[in-house]
Amino acid sequence: MSRRKFKLPQKQYKAKRLTFVEEIAMWLGEQPDLMIHYLKNRNTGGTPPYILMYLESMVDLKKINDQIVQTLTGMSHEFSVGELAERIPADNTKEFDEVQQAGHLLLKGYTLILQQRHRRGFAVNTGKMPQRAFSEPEAEKVIFGPHLGFNEQLSDNIALIRKYVDRDDLRFKSITIKHPSDKKVYLAYVAQTADPQLIKEVERRLEKVEVKDLNDVHYLEEWIIDRGLSPFPNFYYTERPDVVAANILEGRVALMTGNSPVAALLPISISHFLMAPDDHYYNPIYASFLRVFRLIAAVLAFSVSSFYVALTMVNHELLPFQMIQTIIQAREGVPFPIWIEVLILEFALELVIEASRWTPGNIGQAITLFGTIVVGQAAVQAGILNATVIVVVSLEAIASFAVPVYRASTMIRLLRYPMIILASFFGIVGILLYLMLIFIHLVRKENLGMPYLLPLAPFDLSGFKDTLIRVPRKMMDRGNLINKE
Amino acid sequence: MRLIYLMIILSLFLSGCTPPLSIEEKAIISMAGFDKKDNKIQVTAFIQNPAVLGKARAGAQKDERPVSILKTEGNTIDFAVHWSSNFVPRHVDWNHMQVVILGEELAEEGISHVLDFIQRQPEASTLPFIFICKGITTRELFERAFEFTDSPSRYIQEIIAPSREHTNFREVRVYNLLNDLNSPLTDIVVNGIRLAKKKHYVTAGGHETFYITNTLGVLKHGKLAGWMDKKASSGYMWVKEDRWDHAVELKNERYKVYVNHDITTNKPDIKVNFRGKDIKNIEIEVDIESKISEISHSRMPLTTQTIHLFEKDLEVYVEERVRHMIEVSQKMGADILGLGYQVRKANQKYWEQYKTEWAEKIYPRIHVDVIIHVQVENTGDIVEKTETNIENK
């Protein structure tokens, strides 16, 4: 067997008539890992009857050797392409007769079997995609419960969901969306609980999607949402199969793409952002306490610095006398107005967060330490910032990290900047009006036809069973078991 | 929808014309005094400057004090206050006053315009305690207080906290006065304040201290009508205030012992009895429950009879004070217990007919019966031995 790396014929190709193999190689362009094998049959000898083409980085060489080379070299005589299909012990095979078709198959990890002088070929799936082992997602770690997350292999992820949702009405619907190479998106749902209208609507919206690139399910969010821009997250993204399973059992739909460990759950309401994956693994009283606590943390993260600015700049009368004395003492010699001081510190906080996000772990610690010492201590000693502002902004930062969904906590951090500026000019009135604007937006916002503020607006008492609090499973499940029929 | 958003945003500009001022740019008044001298209103106030403490912490300007006195005067309070902006470096802020002290002379002429001034301040707080200076002008009081404390209002509040239970201290805040002045049925009682040598509580400097008097000033139609003596003030407290935890030490003549009563409850009840169209009498009944916490003769056996005697002693003590208080208030013509209100409740027609004459003619002559019931709940001792049937056999 001769084996060589293929080199593109440079200028002479115009003069010479190209073979089918050369045409395919030309179509692919520069591909340093393109391999072409000329197989000699042990029994027939002579000119190589078969030519194998594959991209070395995408195939399993053992598979090629076992399934193709062994079979072809051991054959008693030469077979046509149609006849080969029955003789090669592989299940995923395809025939082709066009250059473009052959090129696509090569790029997907197929090995092409061609014969000289024929413009037809036969492809065997020998693909071996680079793959990561299952691990616990960094952003959704739990103390108790399964420590398992998706990987980038769609088939593996589907298998995991099947494992968790052990039901015969679990469905995976594949939808092809407009993309240069027609990407597939999968909708996972449980037929009995999911609303057929919802599935139709998601399908309808997915059909309109036109993407140049689709590396992840996040790319689809902006195509599917109801109304223009909103700072509030529309989908709940998770890398945990148990979270996907729990949600699709409740009637939601999971949207998944290949090459990404993330599944998007829809439709969701704002209450989802207070839920952590392990709430269901705790005692209901403790889980409810945690959820209420997270709500308080979210409110604190959103509003503490604005209230501080409003109370110290406009509405002093609401502060107790002793508190005023403490704040004035701390502010002695600080050159900036309070709201600028707060914004400087908020900016420094974002800087530390962003800087530590992009630096490797061991250097990241140095940044945090430097940030803490410089901002926390030196700035106060130098009289640039006052200690109460540091307490306020730190409290706010810690509270924002107590919100379990990272996207929600970034949204909270983003939304408070306008509120700080309004508070500095208009005090409590400014804060209240800003909150009104946000509430108007939230009340109007819908997520695939579902009100975003559910179960608060429109009010639905039964909806609170697993949102702000978590009632015992007996109360949640009883009477809600779906009939298996 | 856009219109709604626009309206909300525009409504921000209706939020008032107070410019946003950082907290340290304000001269915060912690305590203010108003007095009258030579027909002019004297305003004296303590301005807190906590920034000095911050500076002192950093080790600079140690001679500066965190409190300064503002002295200003004018024919009206508002002018006096505005005039003060000539020499106070920051914006004067009246919203955090903790204590308001009124001069005796001003109180005799009427306090309504002071209350009016306090109310008119933007975002005014009506929570400050209010006192009337006794035997000293407010300015003198403030100047002398400036010598011994950096935080006079806090000092007064510290005295008030324990006074609530043990002295004739009546908690009167600006809003109480505003309410009472607006309801003409009840006249108001306010505590006095003066300075006293530290006899009982000695600090390193041995300075003077504030002293909240046990005598109560009576404000009739918003003017100081006079001071009740200590006995009458005490009588007033038995009827109008909660005397929980109040200690009364009484001598029992028969056993020659001193008994200390620790009061647990005092429930007053006022009844108006009519004879025909006229008032026959008014009954003031107070049910008191107490605990005997100490007897000077520790080995004295307590029996039901002796306890009855001690109850009687307390009844006499309280009755004497309440009667005295009624006599004093009748002389002043100030219905401080709000009996007129009880009469109106009992007989609307009568009240409508005589309400104009009530304070001057009817109240001073009315017959008031005082009935006190005391019950000792607990002595901490076993009063009578429990005898079991077996022992009897």
Side-chain angles (χ1 to χ4, degrees):
Chain A
M1 178 175 98
S2 72
R3 177 180 155 173
R4 67 174 169 86
K5 288 203 172 182
F6 181 81
K7 279 190 178 168
L8 275 182
Q10 294 294 316
K11 286 179 182 170
Q12 68 274 30
Y13 70 91
K14 277 183 186 168
K16 191 184 147 194
R17 192 164 172 258
L18 295 177
T19 61
F20 191 42
V21 173
E22 281 167 339
E23 274 181 49
I24 295 171
M26 285 289 290
W27 186 88
L28 281 171
E30 286 285 354
Q31 303 290 353
D33 57 342
L34 175 65
M35 305 299 291
I36 301 176
H37 286 200
Y38 292 89
L39 281 188
K40 274 183 187 169
N41 193 314
R42 265 174 268 149
N43 303 322
T44 54
T47 44
Y50 298 114
I51 301 163
L52 299 190
M53 282 182 93
Y54 59 86
L55 291 171
E56 196 179 11
S57 58
M58 304 205 44
V59 294
D60 184 354
L61 287 174
K62 193 171 176 293
K63 239 186 207 175
I64 296 180
N65 195 40
D66 292 354
Q67 292 182 351
I68 306 171
V69 178
Q70 295 287 344
T71 319
L72 291 181
T73 51
M75 281 174 178
S76 54
H77 62 277
E78 205 175 316
F79 291 100
S80 72
V81 169
E83 287 164 335
L84 270 181
E86 291 161 15
R87 283 171 175 76
I88 291 203
D91 16 283
N92 204 346
T93 58
K94 273 176 187 162
E95 281 181 41
F96 60 87
D97 50 10
E98 276 174 27
V99 174
Q100 204 175 346
Q101 214 179 347
H104 279 303
L105 286 170
L106 270 177
L107 288 172
K108 281 179 184 164
Y110 280 75
T111 298
L112 310 186
I113 305 169
L114 300 131
Q115 282 168 311
Q116 278 184 348
R117 298 181 304 278
H118 290 275
R119 287 189 70 82
R120 271 182 77 198
F122 173 73
V124 180
N125 189 357
T126 50
K128 186 192 75 179
M129 289 294 167
Q131 190 176 330
R132 178 170 66 93
F134 295 118
S135 61
E136 184 165 23
E138 272 299 310
E140 292 176 280
K141 281 197 167 159
V142 295
I143 297 170
F144 305 113
H147 299 278
L148 189 61
F150 292 134
N151 66 9
E152 284 76 6
Q153 197 69 27
L154 187 61
S155 55
D156 287 352
N157 299 345
I158 290 177
L160 279 183
I161 295 175
R162 284 221 172 91
K163 194 174 150 196
Y164 275 89
V165 186
D166 189 13
R167 291 172 59 104
D168 48 14
D169 57 351
L170 172 66
R171 302 278 183 273
F172 289 93
K173 195 168 219 170
S174 117
I175 296 161
T176 310
I177 56 169
K178 288 181 197 116
H179 180 271
S181 61
D182 284 350
K183 285 271 181 183
K184 274 187 182 163
V185 173
Y186 283 84
L187 279 185
Y189 60 92
V190 172
Q192 209 146 19
T193 52
D195 180 6
Q197 289 295 325
L198 171 73
I199 294 158
K200 261 187 204 166
E201 183 62 26
V202 176
E203 267 181 77
R204 192 182 65 80
R205 292 188 190 193
L206 281 172
E207 275 160 16
K208 287 184 188 168
V209 177
E210 278 175 50
V211 282
K212 269 195 218 161
D213 195 4
L214 185 67
N215 289 339
D216 191 284
V217 69
H218 286 88
Y219 284 44
L220 299 173
E221 174 171 341
E222 284 145 42
W223 285 94
I224 299 181
I225 52 171
D226 291 26
R227 204 186 294 263
L229 281 176
S230 164
F232 292 89
N234 298 289
F235 294 175
Y236 185 89
Y237 293 100
T238 182
E239 294 184 32
R240 297 183 61 90
D242 54 335
V243 174
V244 171
N247 276 283
I248 60 178
L249 280 172
E250 283 173 13
R252 277 179 207 95
V253 174
L255 196 61
M256 297 179 345
T257 58
N259 307 333
S260 166
V262 182
L265 295 168
L266 53 150
I268 50 136
S269 70
I270 198 165
S271 59
H272 265 77
F273 299 105
L274 295 177
M275 297 182 194
D278 48 358
D279 281 353
H280 284 262
Y281 308 134
Y282 286 121
N283 171 318
I285 300 172
Y286 185 58
S288 305
F289 162 75
L290 282 180
R291 283 189 182 172
V292 172
F293 186 76
R294 281 183 213 127
L295 178 69
I296 296 170
V299 171
L300 281 182
F302 182 56
S303 59
V304 171
S305 55
S306 310
F307 273 100
Y308 175 78
V309 169
L311 292 180
T312 50
M313 292 198 66
V314 185
N315 304 94
H316 312 134
E317 66 282 351
L318 297 177
L319 275 178
F321 186 64
Q322 306 298 339
M323 182 76 122
I324 287 186
Q325 288 194 317
T326 315
I327 295 171
I328 294 179
Q329 279 172 36
R331 270 200 48 85
E332 174 57 28
V334 176
F336 307 110
I338 292 170
W339 67 284
I340 297 278
E341 211 184 334
V342 170
L343 285 181
I344 288 175
L345 207 60
E346 294 274 3
F347 182 70
L349 170 75
E350 290 297 326
L351 217 61
V352 172
I353 293 174
E354 203 57 19
S356 53
R357 226 152 69 95
W358 302 121
T359 37
N362 36 8
I363 306 173
Q365 280 179 2
I367 287 179
T368 325
L369 194 70
F370 186 73
T372 322
I373 292 171
V374 169
V375 176
Q377 210 171 334
V380 173
Q381 276 178 1
I384 297 170
L385 300 174
N386 90 64
T388 47
V389 170
I390 292 187
V391 173
V392 166
V393 177
S394 312
L395 175 74
E396 199 177 60
I398 294 167
S400 80
F401 296 128
V403 177
V405 181
Y406 183 70
R407 283 162 64 93
S409 76
T410 48
M411 178 264 301
I412 288 174
R413 288 211 302 276
L414 176 77
L415 282 178
R416 68 192 176 203
Y417 287 98
M419 190 152 89
I420 292 171
I421 294 166
L422 278 176
S424 69
F425 289 104
F426 304 105
I428 301 286
V429 179
I431 292 179
L432 291 180
L433 290 175
Y434 184 67
L435 290 180
M436 267 167 75
L437 288 177
I438 286 182
F439 271 101
I440 291 177
H441 172 73
L442 285 176
V443 169
R444 277 162 56 85
K445 187 172 166 63
E446 281 190 352
N447 207 336
L448 285 158
M450 190 179 98
Y452 197 59
L453 273 188
L454 260 182
L456 199 66
F459 188 77
D460 173 18
L461 192 62
S462 63
F464 282 92
K465 275 183 185 171
D466 190 20
T467 45
L468 187 61
I469 53 163
R470 181 175 90 66
V471 298
R473 296 214 74 93
K474 265 188 204 168
M475 287 165 73
M476 243 191 287
D477 293 347
R478 186 175 288 158
N480 287 334
L481 270 192
I482 307 142
N483 193 351
K484 267 207 136 190
E485 287 302 307
Chain B
M1 202 60 217
R2 279 184 192 160
L3 191 69
I4 293 178
Y5 282 125
L6 191 71
M7 276 169 67
I8 288 175
I9 291 163
L10 286 179
S11 64
L12 277 175
F13 299 96
L14 303 174
S15 64
C17 50
T18 325
L21 266 181
S22 196
I23 202 165
E24 70 274 7
E25 291 166 37
K26 296 221 166 186
I28 293 162
I29 289 188
S30 60
M31 180 165 141
F34 301 90
D35 210 343
K36 195 143 200 182
K37 201 173 181 190
D38 306 331
N39 271 331
K40 282 202 165 183
I41 303 268
Q42 280 188 335
V43 179
T44 320
F46 277 118
I47 296 177
Q48 293 299 134
N49 188 8
V52 174
L53 295 177
K55 275 187 205 163
R57 215 184 278 160
Q61 290 176 319
K62 279 178 186 161
D63 50 339
E64 209 178 325
R65 284 185 62 185
V67 65
S68 28
I69 297 192
L70 163 70
K71 295 176 197 171
T72 174
E73 58 184 34
N75 290 315
T76 58
I77 301 175
D78 207 27
F79 177 80
V81 168
H82 275 90
W83 175 247
S84 73
S85 62
N86 286 333
F87 39 85
V88 178
R90 288 162 285 143
H91 293 261
V92 178
D93 180 298
W94 295 85
N95 302 328
H96 286 94
M97 265 191 302
Q98 311 280 299
V99 179
V100 173
I101 297 181
L102 305 171
E104 220 171 336
E105 198 177 321
L106 179 102
E108 279 164 7
E109 284 194 15
I111 60 166
S112 53
H113 62 298
V114 178
L115 298 180
D116 188 48
F117 165 76
I118 295 173
Q119 256 190 318
R120 277 168 193 260
Q121 299 309 308
E123 312 295 342
S125 162
T126 53
L127 285 175
F129 289 103
I130 200 158
F131 295 101
I132 295 174
C133 242
K134 197 178 177 197
I136 187 170
T137 64
T138 48
R139 183 153 289 180
E140 230 179 313
L141 181 95
F142 275 53
E143 279 167 353
R144 278 163 64 182
F146 186 65
E147 291 165 14
F148 68 82
T149 175
D150 277 344
S151 167
S153 60
R154 195 168 162 183
Y155 197 100
I156 289 178
Q157 282 178 316
E158 279 170 7
I159 303 173
I160 286 171
S163 307
R164 281 175 196 181
E165 288 146 19
H166 302 292
T167 60
N168 293 341
F169 172 69
R170 185 167 184 251
E171 189 179 308
V172 183
R173 292 173 185 263
V174 170
Y175 68 84
N176 298 118
L177 276 190
L178 285 167
N179 290 346
D180 289 358
L181 276 178
N182 292 333
S183 67
L185 295 179
T186 314
D187 291 313
I188 312 152
V189 163
V190 180
N191 269 95
I193 195 164
R194 62 185 168 86
L195 285 168
K197 284 278 178 199
K198 280 194 176 174
K199 280 191 290 184
H200 306 297
Y201 180 68
V202 182
T203 57
H207 293 294
E208 289 173 312
T209 175
F210 288 113
Y211 179 70
I212 294 169
T213 58
N214 272 323
T215 53
L216 294 166
V218 177
L219 289 170
K220 196 177 156 187
H221 309 308
K223 289 178 184 175
L224 182 67
W227 294 90
M228 289 198 283
D229 57 12
K230 204 171 160 183
K231 199 173 166 186
S233 302
S234 168
Y236 177 82
M237 298 298 284
W238 281 104
V239 182
K240 286 295 266 192
E241 294 284 316
D242 185 6
R243 301 256 80 188
W244 178 82
D245 208 20
H246 186 73
V248 183
E249 185 188 78
L250 297 173
K251 188 181 180 186
N252 184 277
E253 293 299 337
R254 187 164 159 195
Y255 293 101
K256 307 285 182 218
V257 287
Y258 285 93
V259 177
N260 189 54
H261 288 268
D262 214 342
I263 309 300
T264 51
T265 51
N266 58 314
K267 283 183 203 153
D269 186 25
I270 298 174
K271 263 189 217 161
V272 185
N273 298 321
F274 281 87
R275 185 195 287 141
K277 284 183 179 175
D278 284 333
I279 297 172
K280 179 188 163 198
N281 67 343
I282 292 179
E283 279 176 24
I284 297 176
E285 201 177 327
V286 187
D287 287 333
I288 298 169
E289 286 178 8
S290 80
K291 290 184 282 188
I292 291 179
S293 57
E294 195 182 330
I295 299 170
S296 61
H297 192 285
S298 60
R299 292 197 178 172
M300 185 187 161
L302 279 177
T303 61
T304 320
Q305 286 76 27
T306 52
I307 289 173
H308 281 320
L309 274 179
F310 298 154
E311 283 174 348
K312 194 76 199 160
D313 287 344
L314 184 59
E315 278 171 13
V316 172
Y317 172 88
V318 176
E319 192 179 329
E320 209 177 293
R321 274 153 183 74
V322 176
R323 280 192 188 286
H324 180 66
M325 177 263 296
I326 289 163
E327 274 168 32
V328 170
S329 70
Q330 282 181 328
K331 266 183 207 162
M332 287 182 189
D335 178 9
I336 51 177
L337 292 178
L339 298 182
Y341 178 69
Q342 300 294 336
V343 171
R344 194 184 77 166
K345 258 185 11 181
N347 191 336
Q348 183 78 25
K349 272 187 187 169
Y350 177 87
W351 179 252
E352 289 299 328
Q353 196 175 348
Y354 296 108
K355 66 180 176 188
T356 47
E357 297 169 20
W358 171 256
E360 304 303 328
K361 289 183 184 165
I362 302 172
Y363 177 68
R365 291 191 198 100
I366 213 153
H367 179 69
V368 181
D369 282 331
V370 179
I371 305 153
I372 311 289
H373 299 293
V374 174
Q375 194 180 356
V376 170
E377 280 186 316
N378 196 348
T379 61
D381 267 345
I382 297 168
V383 176
E384 279 170 287
K385 280 183 186 171
T386 47
E387 291 174 358
T388 59
N389 291 336
I390 301 167
E391 281 171 3
N392 288 340
K393 280 170 193 172

